[in-house]
Protein backbone atom coordinates (compact mmCIF):
# COMPACT_ATOMS: atom_id res chain seq x y z
CA UNK A 1 0.00 0.00 0.00
CA UNK A 2 1.47 3.36 -1.02
CA UNK A 3 1.44 6.60 0.98
CA UNK A 4 -1.62 7.98 -0.83
CA UNK A 5 -3.68 4.86 -0.05
CA UNK A 6 -2.55 4.89 3.57
CA UNK A 7 -3.57 8.54 3.99
CA UNK A 8 -7.01 7.87 2.53
CA UNK A 9 -7.47 4.80 4.74
CA UNK A 10 -6.37 6.59 7.91
CA UNK A 11 -8.54 9.64 7.19
CA UNK A 12 -11.62 7.58 6.35
CA UNK A 13 -11.17 5.36 9.44
CA UNK A 14 -11.47 8.53 11.52
CA UNK A 15 -14.45 9.82 9.55
CA UNK A 16 -12.66 13.03 8.58
CA UNK A 17 -12.84 15.09 5.41
CA UNK A 18 -9.77 16.31 3.55
CA UNK A 19 -10.68 19.82 4.73
CA UNK A 20 -10.64 18.75 8.38
CA UNK A 21 -7.28 16.98 8.10
CA UNK A 22 -5.70 19.87 6.20
CA UNK A 23 -7.03 22.39 8.71
CA UNK A 24 -5.65 20.43 11.67
CA UNK A 25 -2.27 20.12 9.94
CA UNK A 26 -2.22 23.85 9.16
CA UNK A 27 -2.14 23.42 5.38
CA UNK A 28 -4.53 24.04 2.48
CA UNK A 29 -6.82 21.24 1.30
CA UNK A 30 -5.39 21.15 -2.26
CA UNK A 31 -1.96 20.28 -0.86
CA UNK A 32 -3.39 17.45 1.24
CA UNK A 33 -5.49 16.29 -1.72
CA UNK A 34 -2.34 16.11 -3.88
CA UNK A 35 -0.81 13.72 -1.33
CA UNK A 36 -3.90 11.49 -1.34
CA UNK A 37 -3.93 11.52 -5.14
CA UNK A 38 -0.24 10.60 -5.28
CA UNK A 39 0.51 13.75 -7.27
CA UNK A 40 2.92 15.10 -4.65
CA UNK A 41 4.75 13.80 -1.60
CA UNK A 42 4.93 15.53 1.76
CA UNK A 43 8.30 16.72 3.06
CA UNK A 44 9.94 14.83 5.92
CA UNK A 45 8.69 17.29 8.55
CA UNK A 46 5.13 16.88 7.31
CA UNK A 47 5.47 13.07 7.33
CA UNK A 48 6.19 13.40 11.04
CA UNK A 49 3.15 15.68 11.53
CA UNK A 50 0.95 13.24 9.62
CA UNK A 51 2.23 10.33 11.69
CA UNK A 52 1.56 12.21 14.91
CA UNK A 53 -1.89 13.28 13.74
CA UNK A 54 -2.93 9.78 12.66
CA UNK A 55 -1.10 8.18 15.62
CA UNK A 56 1.05 5.91 13.47
CA UNK A 57 4.78 5.44 13.09
CA UNK A 58 6.36 7.57 10.33
CA UNK A 59 7.98 4.33 9.09
CA UNK A 60 4.51 2.98 8.35
CA UNK A 61 3.66 5.99 6.19
CA UNK A 62 6.96 5.72 4.34
CA UNK A 63 6.45 2.03 3.66
CA UNK A 64 9.12 0.73 6.03
CA UNK A 65 7.35 -2.24 7.46
CA UNK A 66 9.15 -3.69 10.48
CA UNK A 67 9.98 -6.85 8.53
CA UNK A 68 11.82 -4.83 5.86
CA UNK A 69 14.33 -3.48 8.40
CA UNK A 70 16.97 -6.07 9.32
CA UNK A 71 17.23 -6.98 13.00
CA UNK A 72 20.91 -5.96 13.05
CA UNK A 73 20.17 -2.39 11.86
CA UNK A 74 21.06 0.30 14.38
CA UNK A 75 19.24 3.59 14.90
CA UNK A 76 21.93 5.27 12.81
CA UNK A 77 21.42 2.76 9.98
CA UNK A 78 17.68 3.37 9.99
CA UNK A 79 18.22 7.14 10.07
CA UNK A 80 20.55 6.88 7.05
CA UNK A 81 18.00 4.77 5.21
CA UNK A 82 15.15 7.19 5.91
CA UNK A 83 17.28 10.10 4.78
CA UNK A 84 18.08 8.31 1.52
CA UNK A 85 14.42 7.62 0.70
CA UNK A 86 12.92 10.84 2.05
CA UNK A 87 14.62 12.88 -0.64
CA UNK A 88 11.83 14.48 -2.61
CA UNK A 89 13.61 13.93 -5.91
CA UNK A 90 11.62 11.93 -8.45
CA UNK A 91 12.77 8.48 -9.48
CA UNK A 92 13.86 8.93 -13.10
CA UNK A 93 14.67 6.67 -16.05
CA UNK A 94 16.04 8.22 -19.23
CA UNK A 95 14.91 11.62 -17.96
CA UNK A 96 11.31 10.50 -17.46
CA UNK A 97 9.84 10.18 -13.95
CA UNK A 98 8.82 6.69 -12.90
CA UNK A 99 5.41 6.78 -11.21
CA UNK A 100 3.04 4.49 -9.33
CA UNK A 101 3.72 0.79 -9.06
CA UNK A 102 6.91 0.95 -11.14
CA UNK A 103 8.31 3.60 -8.77
CA UNK A 104 7.49 1.44 -5.75
CA UNK A 105 9.26 -1.52 -7.36
CA UNK A 106 12.39 0.60 -7.88
CA UNK A 107 12.25 1.74 -4.25
CA UNK A 108 11.83 -1.88 -3.09
CA UNK A 109 14.93 -2.91 -5.06
CA UNK A 110 16.89 0.06 -3.67
CA UNK A 111 15.76 -0.92 -0.18
CA UNK A 112 17.16 -4.42 -0.59
CA UNK A 113 20.41 -3.13 -2.06
CA UNK A 114 20.80 -0.55 0.73
CA UNK A 115 20.47 -3.12 3.51
CA UNK A 116 22.72 -5.60 1.69
CA UNK A 117 25.43 -2.96 1.28
CA UNK A 118 25.11 -1.88 4.93
CA UNK A 119 25.46 -5.47 6.11
CA UNK A 120 28.50 -6.10 3.89
CA UNK A 121 30.10 -2.87 5.12
CA UNK A 122 29.62 -3.89 8.75
CA UNK A 123 31.13 -7.33 8.08
CA UNK A 124 34.08 -5.82 6.20
CA UNK A 125 34.90 -2.95 8.52
CA UNK A 126 33.28 -4.05 11.75
CA UNK A 127 31.75 -1.75 14.27
CA UNK A 128 34.10 0.89 15.52
CA UNK A 129 34.26 1.42 19.26
CA UNK A 130 34.91 4.77 20.87
CA UNK A 131 37.35 5.32 23.75
CA UNK A 132 34.67 4.16 26.24
CA UNK A 133 34.25 0.84 24.39
CA UNK A 134 30.77 1.75 23.12
CA UNK A 135 29.88 0.92 19.52
CA UNK A 136 29.73 4.09 17.39
CA UNK A 137 26.72 2.64 15.53
CA UNK A 138 24.62 2.86 18.65
CA UNK A 139 25.04 6.61 18.91
CA UNK A 140 22.25 8.84 17.61
Amino acid sequence: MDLASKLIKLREERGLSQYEVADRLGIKRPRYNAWEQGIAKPRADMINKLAEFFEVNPNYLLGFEPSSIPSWATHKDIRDFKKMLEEDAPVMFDGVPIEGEARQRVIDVLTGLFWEAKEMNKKTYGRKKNKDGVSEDNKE
Side-chain angles (χ1 to χ4, degrees), residues 6-108:
K6 288 176 186 175
L7 291 176
I8 293 168
K9 178 179 174 268
L10 291 166
R11 179 180 56 77
E12 289 178 346
E13 284 175 352
R14 286 156 181 77
L16 298 170
S17 71
Q18 287 185 349
Y19 288 103
E20 291 169 310
V21 174
D23 183 58
R24 292 182 191 178
L25 293 171
I27 61 172
K28 302 281 186 198
R29 191 208 57 88
R31 174 178 284 173
Y32 182 78
N33 180 59
W35 298 341
E36 281 196 4
Q37 296 299 314
I39 297 167
K41 288 185 352 184
R43 294 184 323 257
D45 62 322
M46 193 53 72
I47 288 286
N48 290 327
K49 273 186 162 181
L50 286 162
E52 186 177 324
F53 177 76
F54 286 121
E55 299 176 339
V56 297
N57 189 310
N59 289 336
Y60 167 74
L61 293 176
L62 294 169
F64 308 139
E65 301 302 324
S67 61
S68 71
I69 299 174
S71 60
W72 51 261
T74 66
H75 292 291
K76 183 179 178 212
D77 296 333
I78 295 168
R79 184 192 68 213
D80 291 347
F81 181 65
K82 286 182 193 177
K83 186 175 179 182
M84 178 188 82
L85 289 184
E86 284 176 355
E87 295 293 320
D88 204 20
V91 177
M92 307 286 278
F93 182 77
D94 281 344
V96 178
I98 298 172
E99 303 289 336
E101 191 175 316
R103 182 182 189 282
Q104 187 59 49
R105 289 178 58 204
V106 169
I107 289 173
D108 291 345

Side-chain angles (χ1 to χ4, degrees), residues 104-119:
Q104 187 59 49
R105 289 178 58 204
V106 169
I107 289 173
D108 291 345
V109 169
L110 289 174
T111 299
L113 291 172
F114 177 88
W115 291 120
E116 185 179 309
K118 272 283 192 184
E119 185 175 32

